Amino acid sequence: MIAPATGALIHKLKGLAPRVAMVLGSGLGSLVDAVDDAIRIPYADLPGFPHSGVSGHAGEVVAGYLSGKPVLMLAGRAHYYEMGDAAVMRPVMAALADLGIEMLVLTNAAGSVRHDLAPGSVMLIDDHINYSGLNPLIGEASDQRFVGMTAAYDKKLKDAFVIAAGEVGEKLPMGVYMWFSGPSFETPAEIRMARTLGADAVGMSTVPEVILARFFGLRVAACSVITNYGAGMTGAELSHEETKDVAPKGGARLQKIIRALVREIG
Ligand code: HPA
């Protein structure tokens, strides 16, 4: 079945055929400014695309060239916590697969669970823990719903990310991302639990998109920009203001890495 937005996207892309797509998380939208010959398509013009209400999320597709390679960026995502729909990004992922996108790079803002992973760092997601208990494939009737997640984060893409970071002289620690539903932040006890269970970062997105992308056969890589230490690790209260404020700082670092990555894989 063809996704509802596919026709509109093909029409607007005018022959541009990127193999790489990216989802830009909270405060990370400025990467679209680096796109040459940009075609901008508001989500509102794409049937099935979400109308994200989160400040710091623009809600548009920006397609063009990055490092000379064709790319498609999704500036803004919808989250489970907005409407209680874990599959809210399904029409987006379906359309990407229809377009022939092969590789998806997801980015997010996240809290650190590790004292040695400071705000402003970029962490390559090695694996995740779906602590929410939710799944975007609940209700999917086909046997394709039994998606293998053993290698959800593509080994070759991870290697390419590490090489790209090395090329631009940036550190890129790897870690495990744990999905909490949000929108309230975690408690200090939950952060201690996350650490005990093997998480390095916590956040409110990305995991359902990874599951959907794997369902649709895309290869996936993901990075977190660390915007704060997890609840209780410092004396400070957490806030979305802080996320939006700090994300662009780590985002500049991520932008350098992604440009080098696209040069490799695009
Ligand atoms: N917890 C969950 N999500 C987040 C955080 C956090 O500490 N920081 C940015 N997104």
Side-chain angles (χ1 to χ4, degrees):
M1 213 170 66
I2 301 288
T6 302
L9 275 166
I10 289 173
H11 177 70
K12 303 228 176 187
L13 291 180
K14 296 189 177 75
L16 186 76
R19 297 166 61 221
V20 184
M22 300 172 197
V23 176
L24 307 179
S26 290
L28 302 172
S30 69
L31 192 55
V32 300
D33 300 331
V35 175
D36 295 321
D37 301 332
I39 299 168
R40 306 179 86 109
I41 315 164
Y43 286 179
D45 293 350
L46 296 170
F49 272 50
H51 302 267
S52 179
V54 182
S55 58
H57 292 262
E60 61 175 348
V61 170
V62 179
Y65 294 87
L66 187 72
S67 306
K69 309 281 178 130
V71 293
L72 185 148
M73 294 190 184
L74 296 151
R77 58 155 56 90
H79 305 79
Y80 169 76
Y81 61 71
E82 291 171 59
M83 296 298 284
D85 178 9
V88 62
M89 291 292 280
R90 179 169 175 150
V92 178
M93 297 301 148
L96 295 184
D98 287 347
L99 285 180
I101 297 288
E102 295 165 18
M103 294 169 270
L104 180 66
V105 177
L106 298 153
T107 67
N108 62 44
S112 170
V113 172
R114 257 169 43 192
H115 291 282
D116 64 347
L117 187 63
S121 316
V122 181
M123 183 189 92
L124 180 62
I125 300 182
D126 192 30
D127 200 353
H128 74 227
I129 299 172
N130 180 357
Y131 183 69
S132 75
L134 303 160
N135 197 296
L137 295 177
I138 289 174
E140 165 64 33
S142 72
D143 274 358
Q144 277 69 43
R145 65 186 156 185
F146 301 110
V147 176
M149 296 293 285
T150 311
Y153 298 85
D154 189 85
K155 170 83 170 71
K156 283 196 178 134
L157 283 181
K158 280 193 274 198
D159 290 347
F161 244 114
V162 170
I163 291 167
E167 277 173 13
V168 295
E170 292 290 347
K171 286 209 180 84
L172 189 62
M174 276 203 208
V176 171
Y177 176 89
M178 192 172 204
W179 179 32
F180 284 80
S181 77
S184 54
F185 285 108
E186 300 74 31
T187 63
E190 287 164 347
I191 293 299
R192 291 195 297 275
M193 174 201 70
R195 188 181 304 125
T196 302
L197 293 182
D200 299 289
V202 292
M204 307 178 192
S205 69
T206 305
V207 167
E209 293 149 39
V210 172
I211 295 169
L212 287 164
R214 293 305 300 140
F215 174 73
F216 287 113
L218 307 182
R219 293 166 58 204
V220 173
C223 269
S224 292
V225 169
I226 302 297
T227 54
N228 55 280
Y229 285 112
M233 289 175 67
T234 68
E237 185 52 287
L238 276 49
S239 73
H240 188 54
E241 291 311 309
E242 179 181 47
T243 301
K244 286 191 291 182
D245 208 38
V246 181
K249 294 174 188 143
R253 210 170 253 164
L254 180 58
Q255 185 161 328
K256 269 170 68 183
I257 301 172
I258 285 184
R259 279 173 189 254
L261 176 80
V262 168
R263 225 173 285 134
E264 297 247 339
I265 66 167

